[in-house]
Amino acid sequence: ELENQLATKSKTLDELKQSLALNGSAEQMPEALSLRIAELCEMVDSIVSQVAELKTSMQSILEQWRVYDEVYAELSLMTTRYLYCINQCKPSMVSLEALKTQVKTLQ
């Protein structure tokens, strides 16, 4: 959307230049107006460049977040498996009396 707005403003500046060129030669245009138009064009170019840099930066950040999400999901799954194994593999706690009874039963 921002790029569309910049393109529209740039087009408006170009139309203004053409309109002024049609109404009179560049030498007849007041110098302050000519400088202001040049300054606006430079500002638009600068903004377009900044938007391109921001877009590249945001793509990189989004890629890093995607990798983070994948690693987080994998880690979460591994943690769940680990906790399940711990719960399933821990030895049951039996009292000494219960063990003595089991030994007598087996004898």
Side-chain angles (χ1 to χ4, degrees), residues 18-107:
Q18 290 175 357
S19 173
L20 289 172
L22 291 175
N23 291 336
S25 66
E27 294 83 24
Q28 294 173 342
M29 187 178 3
E31 187 176 335
L33 182 59
S34 176
L35 290 174
R36 183 65 181 149
I37 291 174
E39 182 181 315
L40 289 173
C41 288
E42 288 177 20
M43 290 170 74
V44 167
D45 291 341
S46 173
I47 291 171
V48 167
S49 173
Q50 289 174 4
V51 166
E53 289 175 16
L54 181 61
K55 193 174 182 181
T56 302
S57 175
M58 289 302 294
Q59 287 173 342
S60 173
I61 290 170
L62 288 173
E63 175 63 20
Q64 290 173 0
W65 272 109
R66 186 190 62 75
V67 170
Y68 169 82
D69 285 341
E70 288 176 1
V71 170
Y72 181 82
E74 186 177 337
L75 182 62
S76 178
L77 180 61
M78 290 171 66
T79 302
T80 302
R81 286 179 179 164
Y82 172 75
L83 291 174
Y84 177 78
C85 286
I86 286 177
N87 287 331
Q88 296 300 315
C89 298
K90 87 173 136 175
S92 58
M93 301 303 274
V94 180
S95 69
L96 182 59
E97 292 300 319
L99 286 175
K100 285 180 182 178
T101 304
Q102 285 180 347
V103 168
K104 285 181 184 178
T105 305
L106 290 172
Q107 290 175 346

